[in-house]
Amino acid sequence: MPAMARQDTQSSSGGIGQGYKSSAGGRSPLDRPLVLMLIVGSFLGVSTVFAKAAPEIGWHPIALLQWSILGGAIGLFGATRLAGLKNGSTRVAKEKGHQQRLVIYILITGLLFILPNMIAVAAAPRVGAGFVALCFAFPLVLTYAFAVVLRLQRFQWIMGAGVFFGVAGGILLAISGSELSAEASFWSLLALAIPLFLAAGNIYRTLKWPKGAKPVDLALGMMVVGFLVLSAFTATWGIPVAPVAWTPEAAGLLAAQTAIFGLQYGLYFRLQQTAGPVYLSQIGSVAAVVGLGLGYLVFNEVPNAAKLAAVAAVGVGIILVTLGQRRVWQSTD
């Protein structure tokens, strides 16, 4: 793959994101980090809108997520095999000790993937698609903060200021949910855990990337684990796994979400390997803009003053962290 990232993120002189170049060196648009980020982030924002629409069409949001992930994994597997792609994980499995590490990697990435998605789809009908979409804007600053705490990247004042604004945005977002009912307020606080899981996953996937594994195979493994976790959850809690009625709308929503997941997570690991975890985290910013916009257009969710202030604070934080990350890249040229 052109412009492929070097897996040297743990070097003492580098740090997370320093071994990656955000240049568009590939001939295909899907080799360009910016294009990948916009596609994956937009799909993420659309998914929050689908989650809110699910109950209105007869789906339980968790059940829709469960079957969409399975369908997306099947579609991704079929598409890549028809395209003649070989399974990169087989080489990993043949090397001593790598098979066990690969299984552990897939299990952990699967959990870090499915938990925030479960929270998002469960919270969206209660607190609004726009609120949940905004929660996806914070992993950028949190990923950098985790990297500094773990001494994986050196502290920079400009990026540190970005983290400060990001945290301020999180506080403002929490305040924006104070007008909700008691149950919705609980879900608004729970939704704020979404960026914590996402940021942890961003760093873990990069640091523990199995040697020789291809992005599409890791995506498939992650989605399969997510489906199994959801299946156990729906069975344990007695959640109906089918819509109230198989109307054209219910079937169409499932088909649309399935297609989005197949494309979104087929490109997710590719973006991470191409550009690194800090750059990847910007998909949340794209998701927040798309989700807020669609929340207003589809559900007439008008953001209040606190939510608009949260958007502004997060936007400043994202700009500062991005500027700092570019300085890191330039220093390694």
Side-chain angles (χ1 to χ4, degrees):
M1 181 185 299
M4 192 61 69
R6 301 192 307 271
Q7 297 301 313
D8 58 355
T9 56
Q10 298 186 63
S11 63
S12 59
S13 62
I16 289 187
Q18 296 194 29
Y20 302 86
K21 303 299 180 186
S22 60
S23 60
R27 286 177 292 180
S28 168
L30 294 183
D31 289 319
R32 301 171 184 266
L34 178 60
V35 174
L36 290 170
M37 180 186 69
L38 292 175
I39 293 175
V40 175
S42 297
F43 283 157
L44 189 61
V46 171
S47 294
T48 63
V49 176
F50 282 0
K52 179 167 183 177
E56 300 177 9
I57 298 177
W59 276 103
H60 190 288
I62 297 294
L64 176 65
L65 178 65
Q66 173 183 333
W67 297 119
S68 299
I69 288 176
L70 176 62
I74 293 173
L76 180 60
F77 178 84
T80 54
R81 271 44 186 184
L82 287 175
L85 297 181
K86 295 182 180 179
N87 191 330
S89 63
T90 53
R91 181 175 57 175
V92 179
K94 291 179 181 178
E95 298 181 18
K96 185 178 180 180
H98 281 195
Q99 184 175 10
Q100 181 179 1
R101 287 193 291 271
L102 177 63
V103 171
I104 294 174
Y105 179 90
I106 289 176
L107 287 174
I108 294 178
T109 55
L111 288 173
L112 291 174
F113 150 72
I114 201 59
L115 289 176
N117 275 280
M118 289 175 66
I119 295 173
V121 300
R126 296 171 173 85
V127 301
F131 186 99
V132 173
L134 263 182
C135 292
F136 285 98
F138 300 112
L140 173 61
V141 291
L142 288 179
T143 298
Y144 173 70
F146 285 167
V148 171
V149 170
L150 296 173
R151 298 182 179 180
L152 301 171
Q153 186 163 328
R154 291 187 297 271
F155 176 79
Q156 289 186 7
W157 284 107
I158 186 172
M159 298 180 81
V163 172
F164 171 80
F165 277 99
V167 172
I171 294 174
L172 289 169
L173 184 59
I175 293 174
S176 75
S178 61
E179 61 189 35
L180 301 172
S181 64
E183 180 190 10
S185 296
F186 165 77
W187 282 103
S188 69
L189 292 175
L190 187 59
L192 292 175
I194 292 173
L196 294 174
F197 285 113
L198 294 176
N202 291 340
I203 290 185
Y204 178 82
R205 285 191 303 272
T206 291
L207 290 181
K208 300 298 183 180
W209 191 289
K211 181 181 178 182
K214 290 186 176 181
V216 66
D217 297 313
L218 298 180
L220 285 169
M222 180 184 75
M223 294 173 76
V224 169
V225 170
F227 169 73
L228 293 176
V229 171
L230 285 170
S231 298
F233 183 83
T234 53
T236 301
W237 292 94
I239 294 175
V241 294
V244 175
W246 280 105
T247 62
E249 292 79 10
L253 185 63
L254 175 61
Q257 185 73 296
T258 296
I260 283 178
F261 277 156
L263 291 169
Q264 177 181 338
Y265 292 105
L267 299 175
Y268 190 84
F269 277 83
R270 188 169 187 174
L271 174 60
Q272 173 129 25
Q273 194 180 39
T274 302
V278 175
Y279 193 93
L280 167 78
S281 298
Q282 294 180 100
I283 64 173
S285 310
V286 179
V289 173
V290 172
L292 272 177
L294 290 177
Y296 173 74
L297 293 174
V298 179
F299 301 111
N300 197 30
E301 295 179 0
V302 180
N304 56 24
K307 192 174 293 184
L308 291 175
V311 172
V314 172
V316 172
I318 288 168
I319 291 172
L320 293 175
V321 172
T322 302
L323 289 175
Q325 187 61 44
R326 287 181 178 177
R327 291 185 180 183
V328 170
W329 279 332
Q330 291 171 357
S331 69
T332 60
D333 287 339

